[in-house]
Amino acid sequence: MNSESRTLAARRRASILEALRRDGMVRISDLSEKMGVTAVTLRRDIAHLDGEGLLHRVHGGATLPTAELLPSAVQPLDTPPEPVHLGAAGMLVPSLDYYWPEVVRGAEEEASANGLRILLRGSSYESADDRPQLERLLDNEDVCGLIAAPSLTAPSAAATIEWLSTIDTPVVLVERVATVGPRQAVVESVVSDHALGAAMAVHHLVSLGHRKVGIVTSENSPTSPHVHRGWLDACAETGLDPRSTVDTSVPTPGTPGWDTALDEVLDGLAATGTTAVLVHADTEAMALVQRAEQRGVQVPAGLSVVAYDDEVAALFTPALTAVRPARRSIGRAAVSLLAARLHDPDRPAHRVVITPSLRVRGSTVPPP
């Protein structure tokens, strides 16, 4: 923030405090009209003043601190303080039924602890343009920040990210990273270290004695490139030859070519003498195990399998060893970043990377 911007912000905040001392309470909608300032800017000013203890932010506005409203001699001793609501965080995720529900739960938990609430909207992985959904979230006057997982492969992706970087509202990307402008300014984000998660799986399999560890990824998942990169890195670290095994992707389960793709994977594993495979995601891993057993290959005796995502891997028979991204922690961290930005608009941009965990179960054993 330059000196002129700091001066303008100081004048706005002084005007807010003056109105508070005069009226005891202010509404953002009234201030916006009187001061000719956007509601989003006023929310940030009020959040800043709340952080300094100069006011209490409440739904749609602010009040003076309790101590200024009631003399200490008549302060009610047994009445708990009213909850302070800072507003809402608009949240857009590409799915409401797989992977993302746990992220949303974590976000809701952290939002509650920070006096925020979550306004949730669902998009899709095939969305051509996420901006209309994001704009609708911003139309809600309570929204003081955005948490978003926009499609980065849509034709409009670059324009959407550029627009997000210019709006007067804090934005945190979830499981997405992006930079904007000629100086590659960072957009604040929280992501899982999927590459490290994949590498954990490979190292686990190598520790059991496997020397050929294949990989199968989902054609339509934005996570797949990171999983593949981690597999390649771990192959280099452990001395495995990635060219000597299966390295392929498969279509969405149930779509045309699905059964053929599974058979081609199993044919490749047999032809290369591969004894272990990392599969993204759970559904693909379970289907591969079932198809392998139909063809007489037992898991784990004849083939060790590690799933990536761990949504339902533990429920399968055999229970699948799986890499589990810390989904709830991702949601918590996103809201935490947003809250920190609201309280300190001038803090440096943060990128948070959260490590997955490896859950060892019954689908991985030493090679035959």
Side-chain angles (χ1 to χ4, degrees):
M1 184 182 290
N2 57 36
S3 58
E4 183 179 356
S5 297
R6 284 194 292 270
T7 300
L8 290 173
R11 288 174 180 170
R12 288 195 310 270
R13 292 163 187 173
S15 296
I16 292 168
L17 291 174
E18 181 182 351
L20 263 179
R21 295 187 185 101
R22 181 180 65 245
D23 302 326
M25 177 178 179
V26 293
R27 292 184 56 81
I28 289 174
S29 55
D30 295 336
L31 288 174
S32 179
E33 184 177 347
K34 291 176 183 176
M35 297 172 62
V37 179
T38 66
V40 169
T41 297
L42 289 168
R43 288 191 199 102
R44 294 172 68 177
D45 287 335
I46 288 174
H48 179 88
L49 293 168
D50 177 73
E52 294 185 349
L54 299 175
L55 53 72
H56 283 320
R57 186 169 183 175
V58 297
H59 182 72
T63 65
L64 287 170
T66 305
E68 294 187 37
L69 293 173
L70 288 171
S72 59
V74 296
Q75 287 277 353
L77 299 179
D78 301 323
T79 304
E82 289 292 320
V84 178
H85 297 288
L86 299 182
M91 187 171 190
L92 181 70
V93 296
S95 171
L96 296 174
D97 59 1
Y98 187 80
Y99 191 92
W100 293 96
E102 278 292 291
V103 177
V104 173
R105 290 187 190 100
E108 289 174 337
E109 291 167 358
E110 188 68 20
S112 177
N114 282 276
L116 291 162
R117 58 192 178 90
I118 298 293
L119 289 182
L120 180 64
R121 296 292 182 271
S123 181
S124 75
Y125 288 105
E126 291 77 34
S127 173
D129 189 359
D130 289 310
R131 180 167 171 173
Q133 288 263 50
L134 293 166
E135 288 178 333
R136 280 193 285 274
L137 283 169
L138 288 175
D139 284 342
N140 189 304
E141 69 172 19
D142 288 339
V143 169
C144 56
L146 290 176
I147 297 169
S151 170
L152 296 185
T153 58
S156 61
T160 297
I161 295 298
E162 178 67 29
W163 169 72
L164 285 172
S165 73
T166 62
I167 62 175
D168 193 15
T169 303
V171 176
V172 176
L173 299 181
V174 184
E175 295 291 23
R176 309 284 188 268
V177 294
T179 56
V180 293
R183 297 186 180 181
Q184 295 291 282
V186 168
V187 181
E188 213 142 40
S189 63
V190 179
V191 297
S192 298
D193 195 341
H194 294 302
L196 179 58
M200 288 177 177
V202 175
H203 280 273
H204 165 64
L205 292 165
V206 170
S207 74
L208 293 175
H210 295 277
R211 299 306 300 166
K212 288 192 177 182
V213 178
I215 187 168
V216 178
T217 56
S218 171
E219 288 179 354
N220 300 311
S221 170
T223 302
S224 290
H226 306 295
V227 173
H228 188 267
R229 173 166 52 86
W231 172 78
L232 280 175
D233 290 346
C235 285
E237 292 163 1
T238 57
L240 301 185
D241 181 2
R243 298 166 298 178
S244 69
T245 184
V246 169
D247 174 4
T248 191
S249 58
V250 294
T252 301
T255 59
W258 168 245
D259 292 335
T260 299
L262 289 181
D263 282 327
E264 289 176 350
V265 168
L266 291 167
D267 289 342
L269 294 173
T272 57
T274 296
T275 57
V277 63
L278 169 63
V279 185
H280 177 246
D282 287 10
T283 301
E284 287 81 351
M286 292 186 296
L288 185 67
V289 172
Q290 288 178 312
R291 187 62 180 146
E293 292 180 343
Q294 289 169 1
R295 293 177 43 155
V297 178
Q298 296 300 309
V299 174
L303 178 68
S304 284
V305 176
V306 179
Y308 197 101
D309 265 359
D310 202 25
E311 279 281 338
V312 291
L315 304 178
F316 194 64
T317 303
L320 299 181
T321 294
V323 178
R324 182 178 181 82
R327 292 180 285 272
R328 194 166 292 211
S329 293
I330 290 287
R332 290 195 192 105
V335 174
S336 180
L337 272 187
L338 184 63
R341 176 65 58 192
L342 288 169
H343 286 293
D344 183 5
D346 299 324
R347 73 197 295 265
H350 284 47
R351 276 185 172 178
V352 175
V353 181
I354 297 180
T355 305
S357 59
L358 179 69
R359 309 295 177 91
V360 178
R361 302 189 180 107
S363 65
T364 50
V365 297

